[in-house]
Amino acid sequence: MGMAKVWVVPEIQDQKLKKISLEMINLARRLGEVEAFLIGDGVSALAAELGNYGVSKVIVAEQADLKTYTTAKYARVLAEGIKREQPEIVLIGNTATGLDLAPRVAQRVGAGQISDVIDYVEGNFIRPIYAGKAFQKVSPAAYPLIVTVRPNVFPVAEATGGTAVVEKAEVSLTSDDLRVLVREVVRQVSSRPELTEADIIVSGGRAMKSGENFRILEELADVLGAAVGASRAAVDAGWRPHQDQVGQTGKTVSPTLYIAAGISGAIQHLAGMSGSKVIVAINKDPEANIFKVADYGIVGDLFEVIPLLTAECKRLRNVEQAG
Ligand SMILES: Cc1cc2nc3c(=O)[nH]c(=O)nc-3n(C[C@H](O)[C@H](O)[C@H](O)COP(=O)(O)OP(=O)(O)OC[C@H]3O[C@@H](n4cnc5c(N)ncnc54)[C@H](O)[C@@H]3O)c2cc1C
């Protein structure tokens, strides 16, 4: 293939590009000529920012009806855009929204889909399979191709100082597309970063024994600027909301640092976090499976270890601030 036309479908929150958007641009720049298809309302100001990261053209599908995401509206607009402009590859975030949108669009445009891509090597997309036990190389056999990109794996694209050509896309929504109306988006109020975007995650398992006890993990998280995650055992016990669950039936995360406290390391948990860059495990049982994936292991009682860690991190932070 010559210079492929590669589309990035940026994710936007509060009129800002989410980090995954810039990560996708990084991958896109390795694949070909990068264009972006921007969907929303009042988002055209982002076109300049996209240009600055090496996007040569931004197609803006803008309309009041597109302010909030719904599957039908966004799938319609994106599928029509793809049919009209015929990009070879379309990158979408492997996020809750992206995973809702991508297959629908793939079906409409008759494209194949490669999901949860974590690397691109010599013409092959790489994705984990069997809950992260093996990696599959997938080479494109036909275009267009929809690719969903795992967050926090590719570095954010570097600025190029470029400018993008901006074009408006025609938007023709039908009454069918508007059958679902989002009246209000209620945001979880939290001072901590969102789990899938966090650079550091502190997770607790069944050993936490209660929701109340998670406070010690929250204290550590707050010193580190981390998000708090949980195993399914902790979620099933009602100690944490499901949105905090890491694993096969929860979220897939790949932070720089993952601290697992009192988590045994069941395959379904590992599926969600084994892509973390550095894993620290705290467990009473030296034979716990989590130690097989951990870079650093602490064999001990988390109720002793965590407060010590928190105190030491606080001390280091104060030294740093004083210096
Ligand atoms: C279809 C399916 C999907 C699933 N999806 C998920 C998923 O998305 N995410 C997920 O997490 N699980 C998932 N599970 C469940 C998974 O199999 C495990 O049951 C679960 O991960 C166990 O959680 P845990 O490690 O917190 O608890 P446990 O396995 O009970 O482990 C607790 C650990 O804490 C240690 N411990 C106890 N006390 C202390 C202490 N004081 N200090 C330090 N360590 C201590 C113990 O040694 C033990 O290793 C799924 C299962 C199935 C069948």
Side-chain angles (χ1 to χ4, degrees):
M1 190 172 55
M3 195 64 164
K5 173 149 79 165
V6 184
W7 271 17
V8 169
V9 182
E11 263 188 50
I12 301 164
Q13 191 173 29
D14 300 328
Q15 316 289 71
K16 288 196 203 85
L17 295 173
K18 291 185 84 175
K19 191 160 149 251
I20 179 66
S21 307
L22 301 182
E23 294 168 1
M24 288 191 284
I25 293 174
N26 179 309
L27 172 61
R29 277 164 61 178
R30 289 162 57 187
L31 301 174
E33 175 79 23
V34 188
E35 301 187 357
F37 193 84
L38 206 51
I39 314 172
D41 182 35
V43 292
S44 50
L46 297 173
E49 200 178 332
L50 290 165
N52 186 38
Y53 287 102
V55 175
S56 61
K57 181 161 107 182
V58 181
I59 303 169
V60 187
E62 206 169 27
Q63 184 180 107
D65 281 330
L66 295 172
K67 188 172 171 65
T68 46
Y69 174 84
T70 66
T71 318
K73 290 186 295 190
Y74 275 48
R76 154 92 56 198
V77 171
L78 181 56
E80 285 184 358
I82 292 171
K83 283 185 197 157
R84 209 165 40 232
E85 305 284 337
Q86 309 207 330
E88 271 91 14
I89 302 175
V90 179
L91 303 184
I92 298 177
N94 199 78
T95 59
T97 316
L99 287 174
D100 183 61
L101 178 67
R104 182 82 60 127
V105 172
Q107 186 275 333
R108 289 199 185 177
V109 302
Q113 178 172 326
I114 307 178
S115 302
D116 202 14
V117 164
I118 58 164
D119 205 353
Y120 179 74
V121 182
E122 292 164 359
N124 297 297
F125 290 97
I126 312 291
R127 58 186 299 266
I129 52 169
Y130 301 122
K133 284 227 167 217
F135 296 93
Q136 188 176 43
K137 279 187 190 173
V138 191
S139 61
Y143 299 97
L145 181 69
I146 308 278
V147 173
T148 65
V149 180
R150 184 185 283 205
N152 270 338
V153 174
F154 293 94
V156 164
E158 279 172 29
T160 59
T163 355
V165 175
V166 182
E167 271 178 22
K168 293 262 175 212
E170 274 171 52
V171 177
S172 50
L173 295 172
T174 67
S175 55
D176 246 18
D177 301 328
L178 298 170
R179 273 189 303 191
V180 174
L181 194 69
V182 176
R183 291 208 180 277
E184 195 188 356
V185 177
V186 182
R187 188 97 25 97
Q188 188 82 11
V189 190
S190 171
S191 53
R192 298 190 189 93
E194 210 261 310
L195 205 54
T196 53
E197 296 220 324
D199 202 36
I200 304 178
I201 296 173
V202 182
S203 272
R206 197 192 309 274
M208 295 309 296
K209 293 205 188 87
S210 73
E212 173 69 12
N213 286 341
F214 266 81
R215 185 176 301 161
I216 62 167
L217 297 187
E218 291 177 343
E219 283 169 7
L220 176 58
D222 289 342
V223 178
L224 297 171
V228 176
S231 73
R232 175 155 159 187
V235 170
D236 283 353
W239 305 335
R240 302 299 290 183
H242 181 259
Q243 68 192 48
D244 289 359
Q245 184 175 316
V246 173
Q248 190 178 308
T249 43
K251 287 183 175 149
T252 302
V253 297
S254 32
T256 308
L257 174 62
Y258 188 90
I259 302 177
I263 293 176
S264 60
I267 178 81
Q268 297 89 353
H269 188 79
L270 301 187
M273 47 63 78
S274 59
S276 306
K277 272 139 219 127
V278 176
I279 297 170
V280 174
I282 302 156
N283 200 300
K284 278 205 303 207
D285 174 10
E287 302 295 323
N289 200 47
I290 190 82
F291 288 130
K292 293 194 185 136
V293 299
D295 299 281
Y296 299 92
I298 302 172
V299 178
D301 183 345
L302 72 91
F303 292 102
E304 288 168 22
V305 175
I306 293 286
L308 285 174
L309 261 181
T310 307
E312 187 59 14
C313 290
K314 263 191 197 154
R315 195 186 63 80
L316 287 172
R317 193 185 58 181
N318 291 341
V319 169
E320 221 171 71
Q321 277 169 358

